[in-house]
Each structure stands twice: as C-alpha cells, then as structure tokens.
Amino acid sequence: MKSAAEASAPAGGWPQPENGRLTAKMCGLLTDADYARYGHQRMPQEDAGPAQDGSNSVYCTYMLGDQLTLSLQKSAQGAKIAFKQGLDRHKDRLKGKQSVLASNVVQGADESWVDYSTLGGGPSEYEVEARRGGLTVGIVLSEVPQDPDKDPKGMLAALAALVLQRIPEVGKTDTGIVHQVKYVVWGSGGAALQIVYSDPVNSKSVTLKNVKLPWHKEFPMPDTGSQPTAALSISGAMGSPAGVLGCEVLVDGKSVQKKDPSSGMTFCDAMYHS
C-alpha cells in the first residue's frame, strides 16, 4: 500500500530543488486533495514565486489566505537561527492575544510549532512552522473547517509532515557555513561608561553599562541571501572626555571596519553580504 507521500505523486515525481534552488514548482508539493483529506477546501492559487530578497525561499499564496512557504538555508545552524527568529517574532505579535502554541508537533522535523496565525484577522486562522536541517516549511490555514470533529492543528502538522516526506533529502546536507561576527572595543581608563551594539541574530539593539575593557562579543551570522543585513554596529562612550576608545567589527576573523582610539566615544558599523 502506498503511503500518503506517494499516493498522488505527479508524473515525474514530486518537484525538487533545481541546482540547489527552491522553485515555484514546489508549490505543487501539496495538492487540493491533500487538504480535502483533512477536511479543508483550498482555494485557487493567487501567486507563486521566489522571495524578493534573494534568499533561497519560495512563497505560494491562495485565495482567502492559505499559504505555503519553503526556505532553504546553507546550513542547519543557519536555519535554526532563522527558525528561532521567526518564533520570537510570532510571540511578539501575539502578546496580549489568544495563543494555543504547541511545540514539536510535526513528524520528521527537528523542531516545529503550531499556533493561531498572526497573519490573519482572528483565531479562525492557524499556522505551522517546521524545520528539518536547513529546510523550513511554513503553512497558513485560512479558516477552521466547519466540521467540529476536524482538528486544524493536527491538519497543519500532518500537511507539514507530508511536505517533508515528499522532499526527503532537502535540507539534510549543509552547503555552506554560518559566518561569525565579532565586536571589539578597547581603550583607556579600564572601563567604558556604555557600549551599544546591534545583535545580528535577533536584529535588536543591546546596551551595556560600565563595561570592563577590553571587551568583545561573538555571534553567528544568519544567512542573508543576496541582500546585506542591517548594519552591524558597535559604539562606546567613556565617562570622561579624557578617556579614549577604539572599536572593530570582524566577520570570520576578517576586519570589515576598525576605528583607532579617539577621545570620548567611538562608533563602527558595516554592511555585510553573506
């Protein structure tokens, strides 16, 4: 007996990446029949295509709000960073709102979660995110089926598992590395009154007070596709104009900007293409 992953395979098999890139053809990894099997009627497709930021991602959208997204990072570590960023953004958007967040729900995934969707207008929409190696699969379900016996969370978990089954090798092998960012501040006086830096993992600004010098911190660099990240930046200020501070930003041990010590304060920033 054929498995669900094999039952409705099109001629030639399920669409796979081409030359390592995800394509719009991969929107066909889930069919209307797959949704109907779980009690949901998917509307006609509205749009399908690669991400505009140059990342190895494809977006498939359907009338009334159903969505399927696929993203492939160069490494499992890079995908893990992006997965955490996505979950953190989801939690931020749902602050103060109803949530039914559940983790580790998709068979065959390294990590996954399902919850009400933050892309729609209310608790009738759900979404799932699942990561296996460097591959992340996201599905948005536009509405809860009318049949009370149907489970939208279970449906999404099953659909995401189907996608993983139909592209069994995608994401399992790293094709690149996660780059490392290092910030350095040094100077006179033994301590800086304040250091402010941009965290490349979560894109947030962090402020430290009364920091012992010399100071440094390292971060993994998420994959940015063909586009630069937001500026990597580090600044420092002394408590006295008589003190001097210098700074440096390095990527994989290579300096991308360095400022020699100057009185009062220092600032380094850089744009970086992975």
Side-chain angles (χ1 to χ4, degrees), residues 118-270:
T118 55
L119 303 177
S124 64
E125 298 190 355
Y126 288 77
E127 64 179 309
V128 66
E129 291 282 336
R131 181 189 68 82
R132 182 188 64 203
L135 173 70
T136 302
V137 177
I139 304 172
V140 173
L141 191 66
S142 62
E143 60 183 9
V144 178
Q146 296 303 309
D147 186 340
D149 294 330
K150 300 298 183 181
D151 173 16
K153 293 169 65 176
M155 182 192 314
L156 282 171
L159 290 173
L162 270 182
V163 174
L164 295 178
Q165 291 174 44
R166 290 169 177 176
I167 47 176
E169 301 305 317
V170 179
K172 289 187 174 181
T173 302
D174 288 356
T175 60
I177 64 171
V178 172
H179 300 281
Q180 297 295 315
V181 174
K182 183 176 183 179
Y183 293 139
V184 181
V185 176
W186 71 96
S188 65
L193 178 66
Q194 176 176 286
I195 289 178
V196 180
Y197 65 84
S198 61
D199 186 330
V201 176
N202 57 30
S203 301
K204 294 181 178 179
S205 178
V206 178
T207 300
L208 305 175
K209 300 290 188 178
N210 300 316
V211 183
K212 184 178 178 180
L213 299 175
W215 172 91
H216 73 272
K217 191 170 182 64
E218 296 187 47
F219 309 83
M221 166 69 78
D223 184 14
T224 62
S226 64
Q227 301 296 318
T229 65
L232 304 173
S233 65
I234 176 75
S235 66
M238 296 296 292
S240 167
V244 296
L245 281 177
C247 61
E248 187 171 18
V249 178
L250 302 97
V251 178
D252 296 337
K254 181 181 179 181
S255 179
V256 292
Q257 188 173 68
K258 182 177 181 180
K259 295 287 184 64
D260 291 331
S262 58
S263 61
M265 61 187 306
T266 188
F267 178 71
C268 292
D269 71 328

Side-chain angles (χ1 to χ4, degrees), residues 50-80:
Q52 298 301 308
D53 63 1
S55 62
N56 194 0
S57 304
V58 64
Y59 294 85
C60 319
T61 60
Y62 301 83
M63 295 177 64
L64 300 185
D66 286 331
Q67 295 184 29
L68 168 64
T69 63
L70 302 167
S71 180
L72 183 60
Q73 296 272 346
K74 297 175 183 178
S75 69
Q77 185 185 2
K80 188 173 183 178

Side-chain angles (χ1 to χ4, degrees), residues 103-126:
S103 301
N104 301 318
V105 294
V106 177
Q107 185 175 2
D110 296 326
E111 54 184 341
S112 59
W113 58 267
V114 64
D115 198 359
Y116 289 130
S117 174
T118 55
L119 303 177
S124 64
E125 298 190 355
Y126 288 77

